[in-house]
Amino acid sequence: MAKNTNSTSYEFYKQKNKEEMKYQLITFALMIIFTLVSFGMVIAEYNPMFTIPVIILLACVQVGFQLYYFMHMSHKGHGLPALFLYSGVFVALLTVLAMVTIVWW
């Protein structure tokens, strides 16, 4: 008797979607926690020399989470959009570095 491959394929995709949803919920919870930590640091009036870099770091981590999990950059077939995205980040970093160098020089 032949094995029904459609049900096996269905179960595979069902399990895959379940795991992906779990990762998205965990990532969403982490982003909420990062936001609350940032607000808490501002409300507690920590030293701005400490608060600002921590907030920027948390914001960068959140951007990474959003691109990787919510924009599905972890899936195959997103090579060209990923290339443009990473190129844009590189150009943005170079621009910020140039502006900081000009201001401080």
Side-chain angles (χ1 to χ4, degrees):
M1 191 157 226
K3 186 177 180 181
N4 187 358
T5 58
N6 288 338
S7 66
T8 306
S9 176
Y10 174 75
E11 290 297 323
F12 171 75
Y13 286 115
K14 185 177 177 182
Q15 181 67 25
K16 186 177 175 183
N17 288 340
K18 183 179 178 182
E19 288 178 9
E20 186 173 335
M21 181 60 110
K22 180 179 80 170
Y23 290 135
Q24 285 184 351
L25 288 174
I26 290 170
T27 303
F28 180 71
L30 283 173
M31 288 192 299
I32 295 295
I33 290 169
F34 289 166
T35 302
L36 292 175
V37 166
S38 298
F39 278 123
M41 290 177 69
V42 171
I43 291 172
E45 296 180 358
Y46 284 125
N47 184 2
M49 296 299 283
F50 173 72
T51 304
I52 293 172
V54 170
I55 290 174
I56 291 172
L57 177 68
L58 292 175
C60 290
V61 170
Q62 284 187 357
V63 166
F65 278 162
Q66 288 187 9
L67 291 175
Y68 192 74
Y69 287 107
F70 295 117
M71 299 298 288
H72 305 287
M73 296 301 279
S74 61
H75 295 165
K76 292 183 179 181
H78 290 104
L80 191 60
L83 174 69
F84 285 127
L85 183 82
Y86 297 136
S87 299
V89 169
F90 179 70
V91 168
L93 288 175
L94 280 179
T95 303
V96 169
L97 181 64
M99 293 302 155
V100 167
T101 304
I102 289 172
V103 168
W104 277 352
W105 207 301

